[in-house]
Amino acid sequence: LSPTVSSMDKEDRSYEKEVRGLLSPGGRYVATNGGVRDWMATLFRRVSGLNLQRRNFDLVITRHERKDLEKLSGLVDAGKLRPVLAAVLRLDQAGLAEGFSMQRSRRAAGKIVFALTEA
């Protein structure tokens, strides 16, 4: 679960407090996004090795490498990997409004894609 939706609307909320109660003893809360403090503490740990992050919390930072994307693309082309799409929407005002509405609902099953051409 991500603590925020990328729209950064005030109605977005963090689920961390709710989820932490479900963790097994010694379990870790791993976020794919966070607040400024989370990012600063994570980057500081990478540079210095000193962990200033709260207990049992990790923020995922990925390295984007062309070879990895090419491998994934090959798997998709071969039919061995099928991305799950909730919707393919036009990249216009109506499409963006619908996409953010789906994202805020937290009920979208799959990725919401905005097409640069006709959807």
Side-chain angles (χ1 to χ4, degrees):
L1 293 174
S2 175
T4 61
V5 174
S6 60
S7 68
M8 300 302 285
D9 285 344
K10 288 182 181 179
E11 61 195 53
D12 295 339
R13 65 189 182 103
S14 173
Y15 290 91
E16 182 177 356
K17 289 179 183 174
E18 296 168 38
V19 173
R20 278 195 174 270
L22 303 174
L23 291 176
S24 299
R28 302 193 66 77
Y29 180 84
V30 180
T32 57
N33 198 356
V36 173
R37 185 200 176 287
D38 296 327
W39 284 102
M40 295 302 291
T42 299
L43 294 173
F44 184 78
R45 182 177 60 194
R46 278 194 160 191
V47 172
S48 70
L50 183 61
N51 186 4
L52 301 178
Q53 200 56 270
R54 58 193 172 280
R55 188 173 176 201
N56 297 328
F57 179 93
D58 283 313
L59 181 63
V60 175
I61 297 179
T62 60
R63 292 185 184 153
H64 305 281
E65 295 188 18
R66 182 182 186 104
K67 66 179 180 149
D68 296 332
L69 295 175
E70 289 171 347
K71 175 74 172 175
L72 290 173
S73 177
L75 292 171
V76 170
D77 291 343
K80 295 180 179 179
L81 176 65
R82 199 182 104 231
V84 177
L85 304 180
V88 178
L89 306 169
R90 290 177 51 116
L91 185 58
D92 60 17
Q93 284 299 111
L96 289 171
E98 183 178 350
F100 276 113
S101 177
M102 291 175 70
Q103 187 179 33
R104 281 188 213 104
S105 77
R106 303 216 186 256
R107 299 291 182 259
K111 297 295 179 184
I112 302 166
V113 176
F114 295 97
L116 299 176
T117 59
E118 288 294 318

